[in-house]
Amino acid sequence: MKLQHHIRSTLGWCLSIGIKLLRVVPFTTITVQITTLASQFFLLLAFFLPLKVIILLGSEKIPNYFPSAFQVLKKNHLIVSLSAAAAVCYVLYLLSELLIAYRCRQGARALLLRSAKLNMFENQEKIAVYAYSRFTRAMAAALFFVISTMTLLIIYPKLLVVVFGYTVLATLLCITAYNFSPKAQVHFQQNHSNILNALSATGFLLSFFCLVADFLYFPHQRIFHAVIAVLVMRQALQRLTSMVQDVVSLRMQHRQINAMFFQSQPLLEQRQNNQQLECLLSPSSREAWAETLMGQAGVDTSNGLQISWHQIDAVDVYAFHITVLDNENPQEYLAKLFGNNIATLAEQERLLLKYQPDLPSLKWLGHYLLHGVDCHLFRLNGHKKLIRRQIGDGVVAINEQLLRCEPARELILRFSRTRPYLEQRLDRNIIEPLRFVCSTPEEADKVERLLDSFELIVGRLNDLPRQIVSLDITSEALLVSASHQYQLSHWSSWRIEAVGSNWPVGEKERLCKAIEAARSQRPSLVNTTTDDIVLSAFMYSFEKFLLRKDYPAALRLLDDILAATEAEKPQKVGQESIK
């Protein structure tokens, strides 16, 4: 859509919103308009009067261009009076802003009550107050610009011609650039606030230079009018810029605003479109981009290829099974396309696969860009999805391999700078609610014992080696190779936690066996007790239950947590008695 069409539709939308506000809450809206204008007037005086005081401080007497009413006062008295007036104006400005905020809350609540709808999203009233406040301020800014225009027309019409000429020229240039340059269109959409501020500052400087040239080459008697004109012009351009910024910001949320303020309009969520991705997903274009991808990976596709959908069970990730035909040995690949709104997840997967090659993962062949869309390519080796009875074994097998995998130092450094570990997230405050759901004295006693051991638990978790934890272990992401090796096809969501984290708590015996097996392959586990790793596994699940408010499930873990926590207490007590 061309920019002028955007402007026309936005003006129509603003007109309908303005009529709605004046019809439903007229007194509140008019009050906010008047108060906002008064606020801007007081702010203008609060900045204007100190300039006069500075001029008086630097002169021996009251300048002749000051109003005649000031000439009868003594210089010191005038300085004190203007300084006091500036302070009073600033106080009135602050009081006006408080009144505006109060009336905006009232107006927004009245509009929500009038629409008589269910809550459509979180913080609805807060968003309504924000929208009402910004729109009424935009209306006041437009009115202030009109009043400023009339003031300039009276005291300095030449300057008004320059300002209007520049405004029209800048608008036409922006429309032309937006309509005919895709790159400029992207810049306008992403940096409209900076562009508007730059245009406003440029307009002020251009107008100021014209004013200076006018006074240098043409006779003028009242310099006081020029000072007022400069201040009014600057404030008018600032208000015009803020008005456009407010309207653009509100227009981006027009679906929510329409749903909140208009009874007949439900909340319509806009689906995010990615034309390049949708084009790649189209069946008619799959073979073309698959050949391009294989060519970038150095795979010969002269004998043809076959493409089929591969369900990955991840939001906005689209996977395809690509079979490159060969007379003797067809080759299988998995290509994953990532939507633009989850580019961070694609980057996380690349980072993990780059620094951690010994993961239970498909062989990663690299990252490629297809028309700006992130694509990860993997090699399949007769991999199949698991049947239902294999899923439990697959989850345990993946965790066993992660238990034996020493995280790369680079990953540990990056994660520790970004996210807290399990022991850093644990807090007494999330355990306290367990006291309220205990139904027997035995349960209450277990909770108290856990709280008494809290520092000990945190310390033991902190001393454990680290391991990579995958949050993508789902039935769709689990695969089994032709050699019966379980592997994951998706690694976008991963963490680094204390070793043992994310182990299925129902498989405690298999965890103990896995720990013994891992010690022979991972030196950092040699001096780590099995109870500490078991404690980590149960505390990781314990935290998840607490965050989900599943307190009965959390209570059921207390026996195992306390058993692992208190396993070494007698030994430590004996050592302390020997000392």
Side-chain angles (χ1 to χ4, degrees), residues 81-369:
S81 300
L82 293 178
S83 299
V88 170
C89 288
Y90 189 71
V91 171
L92 291 174
Y93 161 74
L94 294 177
L95 293 176
S96 300
E97 290 295 316
L98 291 175
L99 179 59
I100 291 169
Y102 173 72
R103 297 297 290 173
C104 284
R105 285 195 299 272
Q106 285 188 322
R109 288 169 182 167
L111 286 167
L112 291 176
L113 288 174
R114 180 65 178 270
S115 64
K117 294 184 178 181
L118 300 173
N119 282 346
M120 294 169 284
F121 38 81
E122 293 294 329
N123 299 320
Q124 178 173 298
E125 183 174 328
K126 184 178 179 180
I127 296 174
V129 172
Y130 170 81
Y132 181 84
S133 174
R134 293 202 72 164
F135 190 84
T136 52
R137 285 180 182 274
M139 293 172 62
L143 187 57
F144 184 90
F145 182 77
V146 172
I147 295 174
S148 300
T149 300
M150 296 173 61
T151 304
L152 286 178
L153 181 63
I154 296 172
I155 65 174
Y156 213 127
K158 293 181 182 178
L159 190 61
L160 178 62
V161 172
V162 173
V163 172
F164 260 106
Y166 170 78
T167 303
V168 173
L169 179 62
T171 303
L172 293 176
L173 289 176
C174 288
I175 291 175
T176 303
Y178 186 94
N179 292 343
F180 295 100
S181 173
K183 185 177 293 187
Q185 187 176 116
V186 172
H187 282 299
F188 273 104
Q189 292 172 350
Q190 295 179 348
N191 306 296
H192 61 273
S193 294
N194 295 333
I195 294 173
L196 288 170
N197 289 329
L199 290 175
S200 175
T202 303
F204 172 74
L205 289 175
L206 178 63
S207 304
F208 177 74
F209 292 147
C210 291
L211 182 146
V212 172
D214 187 32
F215 268 80
L216 287 177
Y217 298 105
F218 298 95
H220 288 273
Q221 295 182 351
R222 305 197 67 178
I223 189 67
F224 192 75
H225 284 180
V227 175
I228 296 176
V230 168
L231 291 173
V232 170
M233 176 186 63
R234 180 57 177 160
Q235 289 295 318
L237 290 174
Q238 285 183 339
R239 298 284 78 73
L240 180 63
T241 301
S242 66
M243 179 197 71
V244 176
Q245 290 175 343
D246 286 341
V247 169
V248 171
S249 176
L250 293 173
R251 183 61 174 168
M252 293 178 178
Q253 298 177 290
H254 71 280
R255 288 176 175 81
Q256 287 182 323
I257 296 172
N258 289 348
M260 288 188 296
F261 294 163
F262 292 95
Q263 288 181 331
S264 60
Q265 297 193 27
L267 178 61
L268 300 175
E269 294 291 347
Q270 184 182 21
R271 189 174 68 91
Q272 293 186 352
N273 293 325
N274 185 343
Q275 295 181 355
Q276 295 293 348
L277 180 59
E278 291 180 356
C279 179
L280 294 177
L281 296 178
S282 173
S284 59
S285 62
R286 288 181 187 175
E287 187 170 343
W289 67 256
E291 290 180 352
T292 302
L293 175 62
M294 292 296 109
Q296 292 178 3
V299 179
D300 182 18
T301 59
S302 57
N303 292 328
L305 48 80
Q306 295 177 345
I307 308 172
S308 60
W309 176 262
H310 182 97
Q311 183 64 31
I312 206 71
D313 204 19
V315 177
D316 216 15
V317 179
Y318 309 90
F320 294 90
H321 187 149
I322 302 175
T323 303
V324 178
L325 300 178
D326 195 323
N327 294 331
E328 297 180 357
N329 185 24
Q331 301 178 22
E332 296 178 294
Y333 300 88
L334 179 67
K336 293 194 300 185
L337 306 178
F338 291 82
N340 290 343
N341 58 322
I342 59 164
T344 301
L345 295 181
E347 184 179 356
Q348 285 185 187
E349 183 172 79
R350 291 197 298 273
L351 182 69
L352 180 65
L353 296 173
K354 174 183 177 182
Y355 287 102
Q356 199 72 42
D358 52 347
L359 291 169
S361 169
L362 301 176
K363 183 181 180 181
W364 186 52
L365 300 180
H367 163 245
Y368 303 94
L369 281 177

